[in-house]
């Protein structure tokens, strides 16, 4: 007897969940198809228990009530499961007390090095699952536009490629097909967010405020961050606390900054274009009886959105703002922790970590086509240091008063020339403002308003031997 349930013709023998699902989707035509080989090609787990858990998720995906193009409940549940992978130590009262104390100290250390006042927020200690819960609404806001685009593209591709007899068989399952893409994206997003929860050390670790009005550290991840550094656990915690407090102080005291960053990401996501022709082409070329064709399709990233030139420009603006935020925090943290022996070493570790990103951050980038990395962190830190030397702390921080005042990529290229370029721009603006004010006050006379007598007198003087044109003398 064959060990493969899908090849067993005995109707009394129960089929495994994967075989049953595939057989239903293929209308009973499973000839030449081995579900286990397809699962292997798709990168699905070989372990029966893991496979059973995944099939439960798939069944939930098919049976879930519609909540729009994306199943956010599934995304949250998947994120919590991924966060618990390898353990998620609970946060006790001792952790809460230590985190609150170190963040209070961090606020005190920041006071002399910035013009922005303290936030007076209570420091929080989070587990990874608590970080997921606190940040999920922001992830939803950031990814919903691209998730909707991908969900609709997948739904249309599935419907168009489905044989007519299968469409008839599916009958009223149209809504299920429409939600498949969103459910798949929800599972992928949840996996990416859950993986991030095992890497981040604070609420602002990736450079954007994921949890509004929160200042928090993740003790388990802070401890993991310090492993192998040959630096005391307390120094690591204090340094990271100063960074968190600096981030939160900036986002709190500069009201427009959060909306500016999140709005830029949302605009980028809304402009994502899904190449439907590529999806349809790959769908046509997949041979269900050949697992290698499925593996090839999956490895090509056919569902990855394609960037347009306008999105490339938007991404450049976003990366500049992220670099300015991280550079400011980097500069303040260095100044505030100058008396900490390990400050220089920790600063370099954080800089490299933020510039390169980790596996979890890369997974998120591959999911939505967006990398939240301050690639020019060092240049931005050098610029803020230059501005402090030229303008003092107050003058440096005053740059954050309005988005139009923010430095540009050109300023990151040449920090020393920023003030001169800004003075020239301000001088030109002042000239325009003065001219406009004079015009509105009636200070400019039109030719029609000139005194005819004065004009005639001038003409007469020229005719009576007054100033002549050199060209006339030449003639």
């Amino acid at each position: 007897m064959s060990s493969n349930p899908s090849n067993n013709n005995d109707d009394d023998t129960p089929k495994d969940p994967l075989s049953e699902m595939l057989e239903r989707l293929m209308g009973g035509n499973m000839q030449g198809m081995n579900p286990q080989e397809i699962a292997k090609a798709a990168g699905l787990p070989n372990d029966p228990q893991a496979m059973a858990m995944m099939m439960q998720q798939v069944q939930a995906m098919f049976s879930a009530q519609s909540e729009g193009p994306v199943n956010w409940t599934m995304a949250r549940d998947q994120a919590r499961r991924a966060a618990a992978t390898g353990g998620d130590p609970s946060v006790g009262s001792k952790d809460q007390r230590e985190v609150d104390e170190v963040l209070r100290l961090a606020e005190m250390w920041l006071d002399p090095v910035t013009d922005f006042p303290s936030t007076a927020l209570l420091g929080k200690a989070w587990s990874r699952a608590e970080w997921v819960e606190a940040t999920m609404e922001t992830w939803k806001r950031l990814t919903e536009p691209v998730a909707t685009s991908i969900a609709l593209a997948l739904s249309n591709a599935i419907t168009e490629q489905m044989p007519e007899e299968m469409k008839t068989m599916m009958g009223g399952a149209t809504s299920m097909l429409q939600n498949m893409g969103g459910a798949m994206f929800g599972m992928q997003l949840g996996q990416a967010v859950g993986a991030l929860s095992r890497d981040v050390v604070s609420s602002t670790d990736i450079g954007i405020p994921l949890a509004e009005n929160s200042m928090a550290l993740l003790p388990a991840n802070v401890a993991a961050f310090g492993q192998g550094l040959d630096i005391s656990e307390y120094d690591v915690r204090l340094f990271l606390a100063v960074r968190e407090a600096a981030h939160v102080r900036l986002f709190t005291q500069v009201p427009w900054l959060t909306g500016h960053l999140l709005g830029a990401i949302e605009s980028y996501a809304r402009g994502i274009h899904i190449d439907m022709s590529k999806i349809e082409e790959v769908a046509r070329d997949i041979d269900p009886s050949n697992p290698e064709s499925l593996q090839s399709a999956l490895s090509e990233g056919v569902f990855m959105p394609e960037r347009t030139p306008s999105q490339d420009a938007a991404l450049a603006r976003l990366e500049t703002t992220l670099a300015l935020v991280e550079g400011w925090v980097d500069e303040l943290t260095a100044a505030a922790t100058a008396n900490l022996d390990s400050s220089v070493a920790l600063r370099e570790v954080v800089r490299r970590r933020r510039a390169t990103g980790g596996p979890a951050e890369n997974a998120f980038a591959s999911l939505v086509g967006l990398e939240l990395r301050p690639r020019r962190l060092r240049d931005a830190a050098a610029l803020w240091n230059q501005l402090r030397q030229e303008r003092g702390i107050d003058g440096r921080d005053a740059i954050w008063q309005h988005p139009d005042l923010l430095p540009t990529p050109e300023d990151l290229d040449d920090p020393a020339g920023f003030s001169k370029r800004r003075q020239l721009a301000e001088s030109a603006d002042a000239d325009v403002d003065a001219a406009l004010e004079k015009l509105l006050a009636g200070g400019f006379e039109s030719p029609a308003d000139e005194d005819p007598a004065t004009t005639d007198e001038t003409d007469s003087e020229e005719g009576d031997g007054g100033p002549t044109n050199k060209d006339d003398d030449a003639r």
Side-chain angles (χ1 to χ4, degrees), residues 89-125:
S90 60
V91 175
S93 57
K94 180 176 179 291
D95 294 317
Q96 291 286 0
R97 184 177 64 256
E98 289 179 347
V99 167
D100 181 46
E101 289 175 353
V102 77
L103 283 169
R104 286 179 186 273
L105 179 59
E107 289 274 38
M108 292 175 58
W109 282 23
L110 283 171
D111 286 338
V113 299
T114 178
D115 189 43
F116 295 140
S118 173
T119 62
L121 290 173
L122 178 68
K124 300 176 182 177

Side-chain angles (χ1 to χ4, degrees), residues 376-441:
R376 307 197 63 181
L377 186 157
R378 296 175 189 269
D379 295 333
L383 173 60
W384 291 121
N385 180 55
Q386 179 78 22
L387 291 175
R388 181 189 60 78
Q389 295 179 29
E390 294 177 356
R391 306 184 178 200
I393 291 174
D394 295 354
R396 177 201 62 195
D397 293 348
I399 298 294
W400 291 106
Q401 288 179 356
H402 194 277
D404 290 346
L405 299 178
L406 287 184
T408 65
E410 182 183 8
D411 298 320
L412 296 181
D413 292 335
D414 178 25
F418 170 81
S419 293
K420 184 177 180 180
R421 284 188 296 273
R422 184 57 54 90
Q423 288 173 359
L424 291 174
E426 290 172 351
S427 177
D429 290 342
D431 291 342
V432 172
D433 292 342
L436 180 59
E437 184 177 353
K438 185 176 181 180
L439 177 63
L440 294 175

